[in-house]
Amino acid sequence: MRKNDLEGGFHELVTDKGDVYRLSKCSVKAGARVKVEGNVESGGFGIHMSGPSIAVKSIEVLGS
């Protein structure tokens, strides 16, 4: 997880492979390792030009 301060701020999921996804709902602290369940949203657009968005169903914070 990381916090991006662009346009008021939002959370991004950065995968182990380096892919970046915006998260539609997230309250996890930056730097946490997480497991996210959700769907990549298709179509539409947002003001946060940082990659596709995931509609989050659940987030599990993994141990360090």
Side-chain angles (χ1 to χ4, degrees), residues 13-37:
L13 172 69
V14 181
T15 69
D16 290 336
K17 294 181 180 180
D19 298 323
V20 178
Y21 297 90
R22 290 185 321 267
L23 298 183
S24 59
K25 299 175 190 172
C26 181
S27 60
V28 176
K29 290 185 179 183
R33 289 189 55 84
V34 298
K35 179 179 178 181
V36 175
E37 183 180 331

Side-chain angles (χ1 to χ4, degrees), residues 29-63:
K29 290 185 179 183
R33 289 189 55 84
V34 298
K35 179 179 178 181
V36 175
E37 183 180 331
N39 297 308
V40 176
E41 297 177 326
S42 60
F45 63 92
I47 60 172
H48 306 122
M49 296 198 264
S50 93
S53 181
I54 295 179
V56 176
K57 291 182 183 175
S58 67
I59 297 178
E60 175 185 351
V61 177
L62 303 175

